[in-house]
Amino acid sequence: MQSMLDAPVTVLPGIGEKRAQTIRALGLETVRDVLFSYPRDYKDFQKTVAPEQVKIDTPQLTFGQLTNLTERRISRGRRIIQGQLGQSLRLTWFVYHKGHGSSYLYRKLERAGRLWVYGVPRPGLFGPEMSSPEVFLRAPKYPLLPVYPLAAGISNDQRLRWAETALKHLEFLPECLPEAVRGTRLGRREAIREIHFPRDWTSYERARERLVFEEFFLFLLGLQRGKRHADGIAHQSDGELVKRYFANLPFTLTKGQREAIEQVALDMEARRPMRRLIQGDVGSGKTVVAEYAAVKAAASFGQVAMMVPTEVLARQMVQRLKNSLEPLGLAVELLIGNMKAKEQARVRAALESGDCNVVVGTHALITEKVNFRHLTLAIVDEQHRFGVRQRSALLGKGNADLLVMSATPIPRSLALTMYADLDTTEIRDLPAGRTPIDTRLVDPVRRDEVYRYVVTRVRQGEQAYVVFPLVEESEHMDLKAATQEMVDLQRGPLAKVRVGLIHGQMGKEKDEVFAAFAAGEIDVLLATTVIEVGMDVPNATVMVIENAERFGLAQLHQLRGRVGRGSKPGICFLLAYNLSPHSRERLEVVRRSNDGFFIAEEDLRLRGPGDLLGVRQWGQPFFRLADLEEDTEILQQAAGQVEKLLIQDPTLASYPELAGELERVAW
Ligand code: ADP
Ligand code: MG
């Protein structure tokens, strides 16, 4: 149902077409989006403290008479404004003002006399001082002032005003939870109002609890409802084609691989749709299981779609599948956004006609334009990079079986949520003869030696990775620092070998550089964490990880899994520049153990749950408020309610508002 809530943000004050574009980048397109994008914090204006009584080092609001006001020019264009509030609190502002006369802020303060300021008092020479506090001429309107996530060119004030206006349309927002499910929780409208403008902290807590519950409830309901789907496809039992696939395999399967394959065979032959997760450490050989499933599907005249998180991985995977499946007479194609339109159209046509048996791709696979003749198997590799919605979008292209593969061990409560609809098989062993990666924790004074060693191995025909930390690739400074270091290496210690450079913000060239590395035309690949998942270049044997202390343990383990994948043993150097006893203890875990599950558990123990790498990545796309580690109790409650409701009304026929909301939530 269309309502005022679906109106574009341009109906809000001060938002023209141009600004709306900036805002869209924030994911805010409609009035509803504004309502559902919550403050990230609040400023506590509930109490006003006298200037003589402020507490050091805590943010607070104070009110008093402003005296001793001065403004001085400190350099070209820069001014310092100083004053005193009440008897003892010193205030300082720095402003940018080029013209003659006094600055705007100075004139405002001069006229004000008595005012409110909000800031953090620090101890100064002559008593407490506040630097650049916020100024209010009138008493702040809200007891808890919302602070919204920032975006370039948009002030918190503006953001706040949009929320205020959007709330005027709140009457159009239906309650989506059935009475019985909601229980004593806040109603939806009240919760939304209170999360933006809480009356006090208790009220905030109640609003948050309600909305977190709603997030979990809708999420789990979406998953569970999908599980009770109708009949799937019963694939045929293994025949000639599968036999030929196994005969061509250049190695013997591990026990774990054999068991996983047997399980997948049972799943695929049954009429009940397969929903299986294969979890196995890096290098445990999950791809073989996927290949087997693909051959089996093709032997039953079905098509296969495999979705991977990045274009680089897609290119690599398609190459692997071409090598192993084309000899069996199967047609394998690539479909990614970064391909000529004509080529994309050709692949799409081949999928529609059924000429293509297996397609590997990125998100490009789930766009509307892609149609299959008869899709019977959907494979999602490195699952943690995808949302549930993308997973079901792929499934929706046919009545397909689903095989999901993941290397990232995750905490149990999280697994319960993410995999609520999946049956799990673990591969716990590694292929025989795989020597554990020799991991060394190296003092930076020996950095040159490490790079000399890299060069030695390159001379022997092997290849290496050097990895730089870049937590957030959008952080400009970080990227600049990393690229500078890369360039320095390229000019210095690695001047005599062929070096390639790759980071997340590169476009197409990224693929080219990586292809060159895979082809052996580049000896050393300098990279940010873009290489973290799934890459497979067996000739790469050495890895250097710069600033290893800045990585998560699970991530380090993933990274070093990129070397030692062939017959030659791998070696990994961890260079740590800021080694506290705590970070030494953490890195020692990775140095001593090669067991991804153990490492994930230790990571959890040493860092505390919220920090665990991956948790954020996991949670973020699904939940706005919910914290998967903190809110487990609410999670359990939601799970219980979902189960009850689905028993009572599996199709949600008597809950149209709820069914409607399910369609809408952005997973
Ligand atoms: P991951 O589980 O990390 O996706 P892959 O499927 O990419 O692992 O396999 C890692 C490497 O191990 C590949 O080069 C693959 O050819 C090889 N491999 C897989 N299974 C075996 C096996 N049973 N014996 C030897 N090598 C294997
Ligand atoms: Mg893999």
Side-chain angles (χ1 to χ4, degrees), residues 346-421:
R346 183 187 68 75
V347 174
R348 283 201 306 268
L351 290 173
E352 262 175 70
S353 68
D355 287 344
C356 167
N357 305 98
V358 179
V359 64
V360 179
T362 53
H363 299 87
L365 285 176
I366 53 179
T367 56
E368 272 166 34
K369 282 186 282 185
V370 179
N371 295 302
F372 292 83
R373 173 109 195 270
H374 188 40
L375 179 73
T376 69
L377 176 66
I379 305 174
V380 180
D381 195 12
E382 305 300 347
Q383 139 80 14
H384 64 290
R385 297 292 169 110
F386 292 104
V388 176
R389 186 143 86 174
Q390 290 160 331
R391 194 160 92 193
S392 35
L394 185 60
L395 277 177
K397 300 275 178 195
N399 184 14
D401 276 348
L402 173 70
L403 185 66
V404 166
M405 299 188 291
S406 179
T408 313
I410 54 166
R412 230 187 106 63
S413 61
L414 207 51
L416 280 178
T417 323
M418 300 307 149
Y419 301 145
D421 60 334

Side-chain angles (χ1 to χ4, degrees), residues 424-481:
T424 307
T425 299
E426 263 179 35
I427 300 183
R428 292 224 84 156
D429 44 8
L430 292 180
R434 196 72 66 72
T435 34
I437 297 148
D438 181 359
T439 304
R440 315 270 180 100
L441 192 52
V442 189
D443 193 298
V445 296
R446 301 182 60 190
R447 189 170 183 259
D448 285 349
E449 268 175 75
V450 168
Y451 284 107
R452 276 203 296 279
Y453 180 81
V454 170
V455 174
T456 320
R457 292 284 286 251
V458 167
R459 293 266 147 76
Q460 292 165 15
E462 295 165 39
Q463 288 165 284
Y465 297 98
V466 180
V467 187
F468 294 85
L470 210 56
V471 184
E472 192 68 64
E473 297 230 3
S474 56
E475 277 172 29
H476 223 68
M477 287 310 292
D478 242 13
L479 177 63
K480 221 173 126 195

Side-chain angles (χ1 to χ4, degrees), residues 10 148 165 207 279 308 323 329 357 393 433 444 456 487 508 525 606 616:
T10 44
Y148 290 93
T165 323
Q279 208 170 33
V308 302
N323 291 342
N357 305 98
T456 320
V487 171
K508 240 201 345 255
L525 189 63
L606 290 170
R616 293 272 156 238

Side-chain angles (χ1 to χ4, degrees), residues 218-234:
L218 291 173
F219 178 80
L220 293 172
L221 187 64
L223 278 182
Q224 301 290 11
R225 192 165 65 141
K227 197 174 183 173
R228 285 150 217 253
H229 236 68
D231 275 359
I233 287 146

Side-chain angles (χ1 to χ4, degrees), residues 286-287 317 320 381-382 405 534-535 562 565:
K286 296 182 288 293
T287 312
M317 186 56 82
R320 282 174 84 174
D381 195 12
E382 305 300 347
M405 299 188 291
M535 280 197 181
R562 302 304 116 216
R565 293 169 82 83

Side-chain angles (χ1 to χ4, degrees), residues 549-580:
E549 76 279 8
R550 287 178 57 186
F551 290 90
L553 298 190
Q555 195 178 18
L556 287 173
H557 180 63
Q558 284 270 331
L559 280 170
R560 75 176 162 184
R562 302 304 116 216
V563 296
R565 293 169 82 83
S567 52
K568 288 185 209 150
I571 183 162
C572 173
F573 297 98
L574 305 177
L575 286 171
Y577 296 82
N578 267 314
L579 206 52
S580 67

Side-chain angles (χ1 to χ4, degrees), residues 142-350:
Y142 296 105
L144 294 170
L145 183 88
V147 181
Y148 290 93
L150 272 191
I154 297 168
S155 74
N156 196 53
D157 266 357
Q158 281 170 318
R159 225 21 215 82
L160 188 149
R161 272 200 301 279
W162 302 341
E164 280 175 337
T165 323
L167 283 170
K168 294 200 176 115
H169 305 294
L170 201 56
E171 61 186 296
F172 296 102
L173 187 73
E175 174 59 77
C176 61
L177 300 180
E179 274 298 316
V181 171
R182 194 186 119 193
T184 58
R185 292 187 179 83
L186 277 194
R188 198 178 200 204
R189 289 182 206 145
E190 198 180 348
I192 292 284
R193 192 192 321 275
E194 287 296 311
I195 201 79
H196 285 283
F197 300 105
R199 236 168 299 200
D200 50 40
W201 288 116
T202 322
S203 173
Y204 160 80
E205 283 301 336
R206 289 197 67 202
R208 181 178 184 281
E209 200 273 347
R210 146 76 207 218
L211 295 169
V212 168
F213 178 85
E214 177 180 315
E215 285 182 354
F216 282 142
F217 182 81
L218 291 173
F219 178 80
L220 293 172
L221 187 64
L223 278 182
Q224 301 290 11
R225 192 165 65 141
K227 197 174 183 173
R228 285 150 217 253
H229 236 68
D231 275 359
I233 287 146
H235 289 92
Q236 295 166 20
S237 54
D238 291 347
E240 201 50 40
L241 202 63
V242 171
K243 241 184 242 150
R244 273 171 55 208
Y245 168 71
F246 282 130
N248 285 352
L249 265 187
F251 44 69
T252 3
L253 297 174
T254 64
K255 182 158 165 288
Q257 284 171 322
R258 270 201 321 271
E259 285 168 3
I261 284 171
E262 275 163 29
Q263 186 60 60
V264 167
L266 287 177
D267 289 346
M268 287 181 69
E269 288 167 26
R271 184 151 288 282
R272 197 173 81 96
M274 170 168 77
R275 296 288 177 267
R276 184 155 303 271
L277 167 72
I278 306 289
Q279 208 170 33
D281 209 346
V282 273
S284 60
K286 296 182 288 293
T287 312
V288 173
V289 183
E291 283 175 353
Y292 161 79
V295 175
K296 189 175 179 69
S300 299
F301 309 104
Q303 286 172 297
V304 182
M306 182 170 190
M307 186 160 69
V308 302
T310 67
E311 301 205 334
V312 170
L313 281 178
R315 283 184 193 278
Q316 209 203 333
M317 186 56 82
V318 85
Q319 204 45 57
R320 282 174 84 174
L321 296 191
K322 274 177 192 274
N323 291 342
S324 54
L325 304 186
E326 278 181 352
L328 305 175
L330 301 184
V332 181
E333 298 283 4
L334 174 73
L335 188 64
I336 55 180
N338 223 327
M339 242 163 72
K340 285 214 178 75
K342 217 165 121 190
E343 176 68 359
Q344 289 190 34
R346 183 187 68 75
V347 174
R348 283 201 306 268

